[in-house]
Amino acid sequence: NIATIYDNSCAACHDSGALNAIKKGDSTKWQQLIEQKSMPTLIQSVKGGMTQMPAGGLCDTCSDNDYRELIEYMSQ
């Protein structure tokens, strides 16, 4: 369940915007990011880690499809 994975792995930063994370539900910023970078690039960024985000975004069991679904979930 993507909502459960989100709660366990992503919510700590993406609910509050901690460490400059784009907040869940900020569809404008998420859509800009998806259009700017493309979904495959975003998935690779999550897997490799970003400036403030650890590799895998704290989900060590997520597949590429899980990451895509998580990004789509946060962007709604």
Side-chain angles (χ1 to χ4, degrees), residues 13-52:
C13 294
H14 288 282
D15 271 358
S16 66
L19 304 174
N20 298 317
I22 298 176
K23 288 184 180 181
K24 178 186 180 301
D26 189 341
S27 57
T28 301
K29 282 190 180 177
W30 279 109
Q31 290 306 317
Q32 287 173 345
L33 187 64
I34 293 166
E35 287 174 20
Q36 180 183 30
K37 292 197 171 189
S38 84
M39 186 63 78
T41 301
L42 285 178
I43 291 168
Q44 291 306 311
S45 294
V46 173
K47 289 169 66 174
M50 298 172 76
T51 307
Q52 302 287 347

Side-chain angles (χ1 to χ4, degrees), residues 5 9 56 58-64 66-67:
I5 295 171
S9 301
L58 301 179
C59 182
D60 55 9
T61 60
C62 283
S63 67
D64 286 8
D66 291 331
Y67 290 128

